Amino acid sequence: MKTEGFLRYGMMDGLFYAWCASFTGFITSYFLACGLSASKLSTMLAVYMITCFAGALFWGGVCDKLKTNRKVFIASFTAVILIAGIITVITPHNVNLAIVLYPVMGFMLSSLGSNLDAWMLRSFHKDGTLYGKARAIGSLGYSVTALAAGMIINTFGYSMIQPLQIVTGVLTLLMAFFLKELPFEETAQKKTAKGSPRLLLRSPLYVILIVLLFLGGLAVSPVNNMKTVFIQNVGGDVSMLGLDSFIGVTLQAVLIFVSGRFTRIPVKVRLLIMSSALLADMMLIYFAVSPFMIILGSIFWNISFSVMLPTQREIVEKHIDPSVRNIAHNVADAAYNNFSAIIALSYSGILIDQFGVRMIAFAGILIMLTAVAIETSMLVKKENSKNNVYTGNTIMVSGQEG
């Protein structure tokens, strides 16, 4: 694909994540500012994670059944923008109604990032290098918008969430309307019914990926949710949260941009790097004595994410039957972002009440040591590294497949 092709898809991805930064990045703070109690916010987030997990499974199946990411993305994101607009308007007047609508929006929102990634990968003929460059623009869109929106909202108030989310949302939809979608490839499976979730279990590497993503999300989710508290505990203030996000996600954008070169590294080594960087994040936050150590920890988390995302997409595209690839992408995202967060919300609350906020970072260390042990044992068993690889079309990358 020509350079202008990946730029168009990259611009759409950047606008979508700019929307995420302008709305989801500030809406929970808006709820608290409008009088929502911390206990109700915690309950709402738990319900939100459950609906996100359900939505990821549902919409992934819809995409596979209808054989389109573009149409599902446009319909779902249109609904998300409308619900977000209603939430923003009614929050100052009835915050309790707003938090009821937020999980409904989560059901529609959770699969959008996966849909965009699957759409781009197919449009790039599974070229991991082009995908990395386009997806990097998405991360850059998030980091720049998070920093700019933070300053705008700090100056003019939370009322600016509405115009920011409408402008970025409408521009994203316009890009989606004008970009084309290549047809889905036909499955090579004959004996197993098309679209059967059982096909996901045929790849041991994919199953291991889900376990590792779940462990990573279980460790990092409560830490990221309490990032403001960690920063304040070591002498920082809320303004450093924006700086923390900007530095980390900007690095993420750079690394994802060059992620096509990661394919030279075997997949299982990349998985070990992913978990080792998360382990470093947990250790830096647990032992932090200054805001700098918190920010450095976030840098390691973004390194982990930058390795994880393209590797995760590659494993799905190479090892999973085409008839369930959208479900596979969504399950992987949900394992890291939603299902693990549901469990993390329960155990983190108990740890914070009994031992203080620092203990959730200690729990993260123990969890990530488990993940690193699993990956180390995988590397020791090198003779199994090329078993059970899906024999259909693979991602067009240079270097070894892992």
Side-chain angles (χ1 to χ4, degrees), residues 18 22 27 49 80 85 98 115 183 192 242 246 271 286 294 301 316 354:
S22 63
I27 194 64
M49 291 300 176
V80 165
N115 283 352
T192 306
F246 178 74
L271 292 176
Y286 179 72
I294 303 293
W301 176 77
V316 170
Q354 296 295 323

Side-chain angles (χ1 to χ4, degrees), residues 7-23 73 77 81 116 120 134-143 145 164-176 179:
L7 284 175
R8 287 196 296 267
Y9 284 96
M11 286 174 61
M12 178 174 64
D13 208 49
L15 286 167
F16 169 70
Y17 283 103
W19 181 91
C20 293
S22 63
F23 183 78
F73 176 84
F77 194 43
I81 294 171
L116 271 182
M120 287 193 295
R135 183 57 181 79
I137 299 176
S139 296
L140 190 61
Y142 186 96
S143 65
T145 305
L164 286 170
Q165 77 96 7
I166 289 176
V167 170
T168 53
V170 170
L171 288 175
T172 303
L173 285 176
L174 286 174
M175 292 291 296
L179 285 174

Side-chain angles (χ1 to χ4, degrees), residues 157-370:
Y158 285 104
S159 61
M160 293 305 296
I161 291 178
Q162 185 74 301
L164 286 170
Q165 77 96 7
I166 289 176
V167 170
T168 53
V170 170
L171 288 175
T172 303
L173 285 176
L174 286 174
M175 292 291 296
F177 272 113
F178 287 105
L179 285 174
K180 297 180 180 180
E181 180 180 30
L182 293 181
F184 276 44
E185 66 182 85
E186 289 299 321
T187 177
Q189 296 290 341
K190 301 295 183 182
K191 296 181 180 180
T192 306
K194 290 184 179 182
S196 172
R198 288 180 297 171
L199 292 172
L200 301 180
L201 302 178
R202 290 194 169 186
S203 169
L205 183 59
Y206 178 77
V207 174
I208 292 171
L209 172 70
I210 296 301
V211 172
L212 296 175
L213 290 175
F214 172 74
L215 290 174
L218 197 63
V220 80
S221 176
V223 170
N224 283 349
N225 287 338
M226 301 298 294
K227 186 66 68 67
T228 303
V229 178
F230 279 110
I231 289 176
Q232 291 174 333
N233 280 353
V234 291
D237 54 39
V238 178
S239 65
M240 289 186 176
L241 190 62
L243 180 62
D244 173 270
S245 177
F246 178 74
I247 293 174
V249 181
T250 300
L251 173 64
Q252 177 193 125
V254 173
L255 291 176
I256 291 179
F257 186 84
V258 299
S259 63
R261 300 181 182 181
F262 295 170
T263 56
R264 301 170 185 173
I265 305 172
V267 166
K268 293 178 182 178
V269 175
R270 279 181 267 161
L271 292 176
L272 179 60
I273 293 171
M274 173 189 83
S275 292
S276 298
L278 262 185
L279 176 60
D281 175 25
M282 297 297 103
M283 294 183 70
L284 281 164
I285 290 177
Y286 179 72
F287 292 108
V289 293
S290 68
F292 169 76
M293 293 182 70
I294 303 293
I295 293 174
L296 185 59
S298 294
I299 288 174
F300 274 100
W301 176 77
N302 280 283
I303 291 173
S304 172
F305 185 86
S306 301
V307 175
M308 176 198 76
L309 183 65
T311 303
Q312 169 188 326
R313 300 301 185 220
E314 179 183 338
I315 289 173
V316 170
E317 293 294 325
K318 289 172 63 175
H319 295 252
I320 299 298
D321 184 84
S323 68
V324 289
R325 278 186 187 155
N326 278 284
I327 293 178
H329 283 305
N330 279 276
V331 167
D333 287 345
Y336 187 80
N337 296 314
N338 306 128
F339 184 56
S340 58
I342 295 169
I343 298 174
L345 281 170
S346 60
Y347 86 74
S348 61
I350 297 172
L351 286 179
I352 292 171
D353 289 341
Q354 296 295 323
F355 305 105
V357 70
R358 195 179 290 263
M359 282 303 295
I360 61 175
F362 182 74
I365 292 174
L366 297 180
I367 292 168
M368 293 318 302
L369 283 172
T370 303

